[in-house]
Structure formats: structure tokens, C-alpha cells
Amino acid sequence: MLIFTLFVLLGLLALSVAAAVSVGLLGMSLAVFYSTLPLTSALGEIAWSTSAEFLLVAIPLYVLMGELLVCSGAAGRMYGAASKWLSWLPGGLMNSNIGASALFSATSGSSVATAATISTLALPEQERKGYPAPLFLGSIAAGGTLGILIPPSINMILFALIANLSVPKLYLAATIPSILLCFMFVAVIVLACLIRPELGGHRQHASWAERLSCLPDLLPPLAIFALVVGAIYSGFATASESAALGVLAAFGLGLWRRAFTWQTLGQAFESTMRTSGMIIFITLAAFFLNFVLSAIGLTSSLVSFITDLQLSPMTTLLAIILFYIVLGCFMDTLAMLITTAPLVVPVIVALGFDPLWFGVILIVLCEMGQITPPFGMNLFVVQSIRGKGNFMDVIYGALPFCLVLLLLIALLICFPQLALWLPQFA
């Protein structure tokens, strides 16, 4: 049954069927072939109960918050400020790509939105400053992946919903790994440019006066991040309510700077509706699939099968990680997360691992799926905005960052307290 499930899902995705439609069709197929009960009759109830989940309100709000920051020009000023503070390092603007991605991720929650925004800001500088394409493009694609690890993250909200975990605790679990990953990305750029200085382009020099003068451009995203995350941890607001506070702050910033027009606001709302609709559609289809999997007994059968293999917990964990690495090459990471987490989390808990810790590892694996060929979404985003050149440049440039993500997973396995230290104070 499991082989049939994977075969049908991968087959539909290979035929370029939309992820949400693929997941929904898979659920219906399993219901028809493996259940004597009319499971499809529950589709309406599942769609209603899932869409009524208050936590899901945070998703369109976080997307809108990022769109408003782009429309207000805050993202562009943020990138300029990051370039003055970080471009003195070997690697120049590539370090700015990582720094700006981290800052924007802290207010966006979306990997694709982060990659698209930083691509628009950074790509005009690539040829003008003499940066060879591969590593520069790879730094943008990799920086975009920070959008699903740095809180507030849409993917972590969905994982918390599926695994019945606390969103604030999951955010705390991801805090140290996300900071560590930013430094590791910068380190690999610096190391590459020390070994091959020609990769670093023309060094940009900024005086301390210029750096200090641009500090106000870094304050809006940092202030909004502090407002959103601080409201959650202080207990003042839930994840959904804090997202609404972030939207109000981003909207107020745009009004204060008189950056909005009816056209830009319309584009922000349209983009928000498109992105949110896609995410919610996938979520509804995945929850129906999860209901079918539980009803036909596949979830419990999988747990029993893995337990009966009598493999060590670590061997099983490594097999699961390998499974996700391969699956991430061929499947949309959001669909991968929602469809597989209900199957894998019970196995992880049965093996004695902490689901918060595994949640961080799973999000890192989703990050890797965003930049692994042939279907890494961030790779396509960067190439489409670039609009020229060889797509292989983006792929080659992203490969060193895939190794960094694997190294972070190894560190999380060896030192679980990287993810579990902060949540114990919540």
C-alpha cells in the first residue's frame, strides 16, 4: 500500500499536476481502492474543520506582511544597509544576500518570497560588481531557504498543527539553529573566496559614517520581528494575533513613508491571495489524505512495520533523513511536509526522539529541498528573475549550501540541545 501511495503521488507530480490536486487525487484513490467505507463523504467536514482552525489565519497574514514590506520599499533599503555592513567580508555582496535574506525571513515566513525579493534587489548588482554567476546565484537561493527556518515560519506553523506541538516552543527550537545556519552560510562564502579570490567580485568599501547613517533602514524589519515574536513569547498574543500586529506595523510603516499607491496595494493583496490560496489548498488536500491514511490503517501499519524491523533508532532516523533528501529532489517541499509528517512523526515519537527536535531537522530538510535539483523551487525563482544565462549556474552555485545544510543536520543529531535548550524555558 505504501509503495502504491508513493508511486501515485510521484507519478502525478511528474505529470506536472498541481501539488494540491495530486494530494487530493491520491487521497480519493486510496479511499476507493483500500476502504469499504465512503471516506470521500467526509471531505466537506474535513475541509470545513481544517479551514476553521484559528492557527491557519496566521499564514495569509505573514504573507501579507512580507508583501507590504516590499511595497513600502523597506526591503530595498534593508538590502542597501546590509551591503554596507557585510560587503567588506571576502565574498562582498554575497554575504549581504545572506544577511538581507535573514532579515527579510524574520518578517516574511516564506522561502519563495524571500528568494524572489532578494533576487530582485541583488541580481542587478551581480554583473556590475563583477561577481561570477554560480556562487552569487547560489547565495540568493540558499538565503531564501532561511524563510522557512527563521521564525515566524509558515512551514513551522503547519508542522506544529500536524504534530500537535506548541508554535512558540517550535519557534524557540529553531532559533539557535537558524542563527547558526546564517553564520555557516557566510562562512562557506568567505572560505570559497579566500581559496578563490576571483569569486568575490569587486570589493565594496563603506565608511563607518555611511554604515551608521543606514542603521535606520535596518530598524523597521528588526522592530517588526521583535513585535511579532515578542508578542508570542510574552503571552500578549497568539501566533495568529501577532501576525495581525505585524501586518498593522508594516502597513503603518508604508503609510508613514507614503510609499503606497492603490496599484501597489492591489498587487500586494493579489499576491497574498494567490500564495495563501495555494498553501491553504495544499493543506486541505493533505488533511483529507491524512484522514484517509489513518482510516485505512496505513499510519499504524507503517509504525508497526518499522518497529518490527528492529533497527536501532539512529539507523531508522538516518533512513528517514535519506528518504526526505531524495523526496525533496522531486516534490514540492510544502506538499512533502504536509503529506509525510503525519506518517513520520508517530514513528519518530515511537523511537523515543523529541518531536520538537525532529521538527527542526525536518524544516532543514525542507530547506534543502528548495535548492536541490531538478525541482528546487528557489532555483527556479532565481533563474526566472535572472531571465538569462544557464540554469546550471544556479544549480552549481547552490550545491555548497546543500552541504552546509547536511552539516547542520549532523550537528543537530550530535548536539540535540542546539534545538532543545531554549524550549525548556518556555
Side-chain angles (χ1 to χ4, degrees), residues 42 111 149 160 225 228 287 289 291 312 317 425:
S111 176
L149 183 62
F225 171 75
V228 172
F287 269 82
L289 174 62
F291 166 75
S312 69
L317 175 66
F425 299 107

Side-chain angles (χ1 to χ4, degrees), residues 9-276:
L9 182 58
L10 293 177
L12 289 170
L13 292 172
L15 293 173
S16 299
V17 178
V21 177
S22 299
V23 173
L25 288 176
L26 175 60
M28 292 182 180
S29 301
L30 291 173
V32 170
F33 288 110
Y34 292 101
S35 175
T36 57
L37 299 175
L39 298 181
T40 53
S41 300
L43 183 56
E45 174 61 27
I46 293 170
W48 173 258
S49 60
T50 303
S51 58
E53 174 64 48
F54 182 61
L55 188 58
L56 287 180
V57 176
I59 293 176
L61 291 175
Y62 282 134
V63 175
L64 179 58
M65 181 169 62
E67 292 290 341
L68 290 176
L69 285 175
V70 173
C71 291
S72 68
R77 286 185 286 271
M78 176 192 67
Y79 183 81
S83 67
K84 288 184 173 61
W85 278 94
L86 297 175
S87 59
W88 63 272
L89 290 166
L93 285 179
M94 289 185 286
N95 300 302
S96 305
N97 295 341
I98 301 299
S101 295
L103 288 171
F104 189 76
S105 297
T107 55
S108 169
S110 168
S111 176
V112 173
T114 301
T117 300
I118 303 303
S119 294
T120 304
L121 299 171
L123 286 176
E125 302 294 324
Q126 181 229 322
E127 291 185 0
R128 190 165 61 193
K129 298 292 175 62
Y131 289 91
L135 191 60
F136 191 90
L137 300 174
S139 69
I140 300 174
T145 67
L146 296 170
I148 59 176
L149 183 62
I150 295 178
S153 162
I154 292 173
N155 291 52
M156 279 195 281
I157 290 176
L158 292 173
F159 180 79
L161 187 63
I162 294 169
N164 195 26
L165 297 174
S166 163
V167 173
K169 284 189 175 182
L170 191 56
Y171 280 174
L172 283 173
T175 298
I176 293 177
S178 62
I179 295 172
L180 179 60
L181 183 60
C182 291
F183 283 107
M184 291 169 70
F185 277 168
V186 170
V188 78
I189 292 172
V190 170
L191 181 62
C193 293
L194 288 175
I195 296 174
R196 295 182 57 189
E198 68 274 13
L199 296 177
H202 304 309
R203 297 286 288 275
Q204 180 178 341
H205 299 281
S207 65
W208 278 103
E210 290 175 317
R211 292 173 184 164
L212 294 174
S213 66
C214 70
L215 275 180
D217 294 330
L218 294 175
L219 291 180
L222 290 175
I224 292 175
F225 171 75
L227 173 65
V228 172
V229 178
I232 295 175
Y233 294 142
S234 66
F236 177 74
T238 64
S240 299
E241 293 165 346
S242 66
L245 291 174
V247 169
L248 289 175
F251 188 72
L253 175 65
L255 290 179
W256 177 60
R257 287 181 167 164
R258 299 180 179 179
F260 293 141
T261 65
W262 289 112
Q263 181 180 4
T264 57
L265 282 176
Q267 291 173 347
F269 288 126
E270 180 182 354
S271 180
T272 298
M273 287 188 290
R274 289 180 182 274
T275 303
S276 302

Side-chain angles (χ1 to χ4, degrees), residues 363-381:
I363 295 298
V364 174
L365 289 166
C366 288
E367 284 190 279
M368 189 180 303
Q370 292 287 90
I371 56 174
T372 48
F375 297 119
M377 183 60 70
N378 283 14
L379 304 178
F380 287 102
V381 169

